Amino acid sequence: DTAVSQTPKYLVTQMGNDKSIKCEQNLGHDTMYWYKQDSKKFLKIMFSYNNKELIINETVPNRFSPKSPDKAHLNLHINSLELGDSAVYFCASSQGLSPGTDTQYFGPGTRLTVL
Amino acid sequence: AQSVTQLDSQVPVFEEAPVELRCNYSSSVSVYLFWYVQYPNQGLQLLLKYLSGSTLVKGINGFEAEFNKSQTSFHLRKPSVHISDTAEYFCAVTASGSARQLTFGSGTQLTVLP
């Protein structure tokens, strides 16, 4: 049973296209996150949602729009893709909002390549 | 704000040898510290964390880390590594209390050689 799953695993697309990445967790957690890992392996948080409410919204271009239809899903839609968007995107979930007490569980990642 | 520096981007080591992966942090407030491991083509998973109390923290797979406040370090150690420990290791920090996000280091690739 996969706790946090993401689709697709790989995504190759042209500049200017719009694409979505889906994330689902079956852990019953209330909080979900999107992280971006760049080519130098730096991992940076983009968004977090708690009970479908946006909690963290880091400095991310507004071409990126997260959508949480329910607590178990957090999708990431990206408009007008740019070369610099190429990265690995990780979804994660945790029970609550505090990293100290609420362990984050990560999905396997989606490798996005923009040509 | 907090930041993390992982001093070694790559650490090759022979099987059954000891290893230390270094992590230094910067923060003006008290912190929680974490080590995560990323096996090839997988997401990150928590190895261990320091919240308070004993400065020596034991985690999964035989790893341990020591919190050193005076040196602002949280180095990860294992006395004898296996081939299966080959992975990317990330140190992370967050402000203690009600902080809501983790700040990650740039990772250290541990390669265990036969």
Side-chain angles (χ1 to χ4, degrees), chain B residues 2-77:
Chain B
Q2 293 72 47
S3 66
V4 173
T5 303
Q6 291 185 242
L7 297 158
D8 307 298
S9 60
Q10 300 197 37
V11 173
V13 64
F14 286 106
E15 196 173 15
E16 297 183 9
V19 70
E20 179 179 81
L21 305 183
R22 298 182 292 168
C23 172
N24 285 90
Y25 70 92
S26 173
S27 176
S28 57
V29 298
S30 297
V31 295
Y32 296 152
L33 291 154
F34 308 79
W35 275 99
Y36 279 81
V37 60
Q38 183 181 21
Y39 297 106
N41 299 314
Q42 294 185 30
L44 282 72
Q45 54 182 281
L46 182 66
L47 262 184
L48 49 78
K49 62 183 175 183
Y50 170 79
L51 304 183
S52 65
S54 172
T55 56
L56 184 63
V57 180
K58 292 190 186 296
I60 60 171
N61 300 339
F63 283 92
E64 63 182 31
E66 185 150 23
F67 171 60
N68 188 319
K69 189 175 180 180
S70 62
Q71 296 188 4
T72 60
S73 68
F74 190 55
H75 301 333
L76 181 70
R77 291 190 279 262

Side-chain angles (χ1 to χ4, degrees), chain A residues 9-10 33 35 37 40-43 45 55-56 58 90 97-108, chain B residues 32 34 36 38 41-46 49 51 88 90 94 97-102 104-107 109:
Chain A
K9 193 171 172 66
Y10 299 96
Y33 310 80
Y35 286 87
Q37 186 178 47
K40 293 196 167 92
K41 301 254 178 160
F42 266 108
L43 195 65
I45 191 163
I55 301 298
I56 293 173
E58 286 297 295
F90 286 100
L97 286 165
S98 173
T101 50
D102 301 305
T103 298
Q104 293 184 22
Y105 294 82
F106 285 75
Chain B
Y32 296 152
F34 308 79
Y36 279 81
Q38 183 181 21
N41 299 314
Q42 294 185 30
L44 282 72
Q45 54 182 281
L46 182 66
K49 62 183 175 183
L51 304 183
E88 190 88 25
F90 291 91
T94 188
S98 61
R100 291 179 171 178
Q101 63 187 72
L102 293 168
F104 286 86
S106 56
Q109 172 64 45

Side-chain angles (χ1 to χ4, degrees), chain A residues 52-115:
Chain A
K52 295 170 53 182
E53 180 185 343
L54 181 64
I55 301 298
I56 293 173
N57 184 356
E58 286 297 295
T59 308
V60 175
N62 58 15
R63 299 181 295 103
F64 289 79
S65 52
K67 288 196 171 37
S68 182
D70 55 59
K71 286 197 309 183
H73 296 85
L74 181 62
N75 303 324
L76 184 65
H77 188 76
I78 316 170
N79 288 328
S80 303
L81 278 154
E82 299 177 357
L83 293 176
D85 297 333
S86 294
V88 181
Y89 292 84
F90 286 100
C91 178
S93 75
S94 63
Q95 183 54 50
L97 286 165
S98 173
T101 50
D102 301 305
T103 298
Q104 293 184 22
Y105 294 82
F106 285 75
T110 295
R111 183 174 294 275
L112 171 66
T113 303
V114 182
L115 303 174

Side-chain angles (χ1 to χ4, degrees), chain A residues 1 5 30 44 49 53 70:
Chain A
D1 283 346
S5 59
D30 288 339
K44 190 167 166 55
Y49 270 73
E53 180 185 343
D70 55 59

